Amino acid sequence: MASNYGLACFFSVSHWPAGKLSSRLSTTASHFRRRVNCSSAGGGNTSSSPSPAPFIISPPPPLRSEVSLCVGTYLIPHPKKVDKGGEDAFFFSNYNGGVIGIADGVSGWAEQNVDPALFSRELMSNASAFVEDDEVNYDPRVLMRKAHAATLSIGSATVIVAMLERNGILRIAAVGDCGLRVIRKGQVVFQTSPQEHYFDCPYQLSSQAVGQTHLDAVVTSVELVEGDKIVMGSDGLFDNVFDQEIVSTVAENNDVAEAELVWVLAKALASLAKDHSTDSNFDSPYSLEARARGYDAPLWKKLIGGRLTGGKLDDITVVVGQVVGS
């Protein structure tokens, strides 16, 4: 349905068949930087003066290797959109420490005979093209602005972009309900928060002037260390999978070879989201939120003790990044 903001928001329920799967793996080289600082102090040495101060050499700071991302992705389209590969889009780049992004095309545009996938794909293609632009200067909100301005397709999309600097600072800009989690030692140590006009109608970048812009993006940063894992996803992941399930999935795959780990995790999380999305009895993050907002099962179902449960069918895109050092 179209909102008063000129945006399109939707919710649909149907059965999942086996979907087309897409995966890519990217690694980027790391470099080693070393710095040693020393200082000394001394005094006069005459018979009438105090004893000289001892010569002091300060210990060098700990050596810190620069970091980068090893990236794996997995995409499962909505069952009704398998033929065209869904309406989500993503990109990754090995520039600097690594850049990743997801755009979730808003399906309501199909009611106006517009392919929602065109906007999200062009937006991510433009983001990839502008990653090394001097004006961007490793600012994800500037990258979002330039990519949005260059996108000519009609439509709208929620979007998230994250850029890792070699010093371990991850800079994130997000509009809408695509999300990101940082997993460290079995815990979620960082997470983004969704933006929405009302339930199931998130903020989105649009071809229409009344939509949101890069200025509406939530911009955050977090310092990462070697071994951290980034889980970025469209709402098809986070509407169907709880954070603790993400943590458990990461823990269950600790023995996987490092070269395959990110792809294995992305596939496992996307597959878990798909399974939950088809389970009418699963009390998903989406159904919990719906009940909290006042939505519930029909009266006849409530009379027999039922309640609103189940996952949400959607395109599911997962990008997993592992922080690696030299």
Side-chain angles (χ1 to χ4, degrees), residues 76-106:
I76 302 179
H78 188 289
K80 291 185 177 180
K81 306 165 189 175
V82 170
D83 289 343
K84 66 174 182 178
E87 295 160 356
D88 284 0
F90 65 88
F91 83 97
F92 60 85
S93 167
N94 63 3
Y95 177 66
N96 207 337
V99 185
I100 55 178
I102 293 175
D104 180 352
V106 176

Side-chain angles (χ1 to χ4, degrees), residues 16-24 73-78 81-86 90 263 266-272 274 316-317:
W16 271 93
K20 290 183 179 177
L21 306 178
S22 169
S23 63
R24 294 154 72 185
T73 68
Y74 212 78
L75 168 63
I76 302 179
H78 188 289
K81 306 165 189 175
V82 170
D83 289 343
K84 66 174 182 178
F90 65 88
W263 180 83
K267 178 183 178 182
L269 290 169
S271 298
L272 181 61
K274 171 181 174 278
I316 300 166
T317 299

Side-chain angles (χ1 to χ4, degrees), residues 18-76:
K20 290 183 179 177
L21 306 178
S22 169
S23 63
R24 294 154 72 185
L25 179 67
S26 171
T27 58
T28 176
S30 299
H31 302 283
F32 194 74
R33 180 172 61 190
R34 175 174 175 167
R35 182 179 66 189
V36 177
N37 294 327
C38 297
S39 62
S40 61
N45 188 16
T46 67
S47 59
S48 61
S49 66
S51 298
F55 186 73
I56 300 173
I57 300 178
S58 61
L63 297 179
R64 177 187 174 97
S65 62
E66 296 184 337
V67 296
S68 59
L69 288 178
C70 178
V71 177
T73 68
Y74 212 78
L75 168 63
I76 302 179

Side-chain angles (χ1 to χ4, degrees), residues 150-161:
T151 300
L152 303 179
S153 297
I154 296 174
S156 58
T158 62
V159 59
I160 185 168
V161 176

Side-chain angles (χ1 to χ4, degrees), residues 37-222:
N37 294 327
C38 297
S39 62
S40 61
N45 188 16
T46 67
S47 59
S48 61
S49 66
S51 298
F55 186 73
I56 300 173
I57 300 178
S58 61
L63 297 179
R64 177 187 174 97
S65 62
E66 296 184 337
V67 296
S68 59
L69 288 178
C70 178
V71 177
T73 68
Y74 212 78
L75 168 63
I76 302 179
H78 188 289
K80 291 185 177 180
K81 306 165 189 175
V82 170
D83 289 343
K84 66 174 182 178
E87 295 160 356
D88 284 0
F90 65 88
F91 83 97
F92 60 85
S93 167
N94 63 3
Y95 177 66
N96 207 337
V99 185
I100 55 178
I102 293 175
D104 180 352
V106 176
S107 295
W109 285 97
E111 298 172 6
Q112 302 181 39
N113 296 317
V114 173
D115 183 354
L118 298 180
F119 185 90
S120 58
R121 291 172 184 172
E122 186 181 357
L123 182 66
M124 289 293 91
S125 177
N126 289 333
S128 179
F130 282 117
V131 160
E132 299 184 40
D133 186 87
D134 289 340
E135 186 181 356
V136 171
N137 194 27
Y138 232 65
D139 183 333
R141 183 153 62 179
V142 176
L143 178 61
M144 186 179 292
R145 172 177 64 81
K146 293 181 72 71
H148 187 199
T151 300
L152 303 179
S153 297
I154 296 174
S156 58
T158 62
V159 59
I160 185 168
V161 176
M163 310 182 79
L164 179 66
E165 298 188 46
R166 289 287 190 175
N167 63 6
I169 302 299
L170 182 72
R171 306 189 187 280
I172 306 148
V175 172
D177 57 4
C178 291
L180 181 147
R181 307 288 188 268
V182 175
I183 313 298
R184 178 182 301 159
K185 297 180 179 179
Q187 292 185 323
V188 176
V189 297
F190 175 86
Q191 65 182 48
T192 57
S193 298
Q195 302 166 293
E196 58 182 14
H197 298 288
Y198 49 84
F199 179 65
D200 215 26
C201 187
Y203 280 24
Q204 50 206 257
L205 298 184
S206 174
S207 59
Q208 309 303 302
V210 293
Q212 280 69 59
T213 73
H214 67 286
L215 296 176
D216 297 295
V218 174
V219 179
T220 51
S221 63
V222 58

